[in-house]
Amino acid sequence: MQKISFLALVLFFGGFAFGQAEEPHVNHLLEEWHKAAAEANYEEYFSLMAAESVFIGTDATENWNKQEFMEWSKSYFDRGKAWSFSTLERNIYFADDAEISWFDELLDTQMGICRGSGVVVKENGKWRIKHYVLSIAIPNENMAAVTSLKADFDKAFISKIRSH
């Protein structure tokens, strides 16, 4: 019994330590991804995303696989200015095997404070973004005004979704 308890502790803390060792790599991946967008480096930006990945933007209609996101964003990168997000804070977490990580981050953007969250995976020894969600952070005291502002759009979009 003591051997099993000891083994469980070793595996738990070993996994934790391994995750801690990988944290700088995940952090670097996300910083490089944001940097590539700020520099309008299309190839670099999309090379940091997994082949089968998803980007969910701030608009309810923005739920793209990688290819769709590449097509939508190409004109922004071609103009030499995509978007510029700088990290205010980031939390990174790991699965026990440290091959999957999830995170949340607060970002300073042209839209004000946004929150990014997502999942990154280790593929062939390299971390890649698998799923990313960008949302605009709305202070609670402004929620009624924002809800009112988007009410017509939401009503029409909900109706469209439910009609399918």
Side-chain angles (χ1 to χ4, degrees):
M1 184 66 168
Q2 286 179 338
K3 288 181 183 179
I4 292 172
S5 296
F6 177 74
L7 182 59
L9 282 172
V10 168
L11 290 173
F12 174 77
F13 286 110
F16 178 73
F18 192 60
Q20 281 187 319
E22 291 296 315
E23 187 171 336
H25 300 289
V26 171
N27 191 60
H28 180 73
L29 164 71
L30 296 168
E31 289 301 315
E32 289 298 305
W33 192 55
H34 292 315
K35 179 181 173 201
E39 295 174 352
N41 187 335
Y42 183 83
E43 297 302 323
E44 176 69 10
Y45 184 83
F46 286 102
S47 76
L48 298 173
M49 294 178 73
E52 292 192 16
S53 55
V54 174
F55 184 96
I56 299 173
T58 58
D59 187 299
T61 65
E62 297 174 339
N63 187 333
W64 298 300
N65 64 38
K66 182 178 180 178
Q67 187 60 43
E68 292 166 336
F69 185 45
M70 291 175 74
E71 291 167 10
W72 176 85
S73 65
K74 181 88 166 88
S75 64
Y76 291 95
F77 283 87
D78 287 348
R79 282 185 251 163
K81 184 163 175 53
W83 43 87
S84 183
F85 299 169
S86 61
T87 308
L88 298 170
E89 67 179 37
R90 180 176 293 134
N91 299 298
I92 300 173
Y93 310 93
F94 291 88
D96 290 341
D97 65 0
E99 297 289 313
I100 298 173
S101 177
W102 56 97
F103 63 92
D104 60 82
E105 57 187 4
L106 279 180
L107 303 165
D108 181 3
T109 79
Q110 67 274 12
M111 297 173 283
I113 296 174
C114 286
R115 180 172 304 281
S117 61
V119 176
V120 296
V121 295
K122 200 169 192 182
E123 296 179 340
N124 300 318
K126 294 183 179 182
W127 287 101
R128 294 289 178 254
I129 297 162
K130 187 78 167 179
H131 189 98
Y132 191 84
V133 179
L134 180 66
S135 57
I136 297 173
I138 301 168
N140 289 331
E141 59 269 14
N142 300 123
M143 194 58 66
V146 171
T147 301
S148 176
L149 184 65
K150 65 188 206 92
D152 290 341
F153 173 87
D154 286 359
K155 185 177 178 181
F157 195 62
I158 289 168
S159 179
K160 179 181 175 184
I161 290 171
R162 288 189 173 154
S163 70
H164 290 317

Short mmCIF file of all heavy atoms in Angstrom, two decimals, residues 61 105 131:
data_model
loop_
_atom_site.label_atom_id
_atom_site.label_comp_id
_atom_site.label_asym_id
_atom_site.label_seq_id
_atom_site.Cartn_x
_atom_site.Cartn_y
_atom_site.Cartn_z
N THR A 61 -20.64 35.09 -35.57
CA THR A 61 -20.49 34.36 -36.83
C THR A 61 -19.07 33.83 -37.05
O THR A 61 -18.82 33.12 -38.01
CB THR A 61 -20.87 35.26 -38.03
OG1 THR A 61 -19.92 36.33 -38.12
CG2 THR A 61 -22.28 35.82 -37.89
N GLU A 105 -5.90 34.30 -21.14
CA GLU A 105 -5.04 35.48 -21.12
C GLU A 105 -5.88 36.73 -21.25
O GLU A 105 -6.93 36.72 -21.89
CB GLU A 105 -4.01 35.41 -22.25
CG GLU A 105 -4.59 35.26 -23.64
CD GLU A 105 -3.55 35.03 -24.73
OE1 GLU A 105 -2.35 34.90 -24.44
OE2 GLU A 105 -3.96 34.97 -25.90
N HIS A 131 -6.99 25.35 -30.52
CA HIS A 131 -8.31 25.98 -30.35
C HIS A 131 -8.09 27.32 -29.66
O HIS A 131 -7.40 27.39 -28.64
CB HIS A 131 -9.17 25.08 -29.45
CG HIS A 131 -10.59 25.48 -29.35
ND1 HIS A 131 -11.58 24.90 -30.10
CD2 HIS A 131 -11.21 26.41 -28.58
CE1 HIS A 131 -12.74 25.44 -29.80
NE2 HIS A 131 -12.54 26.36 -28.87
#
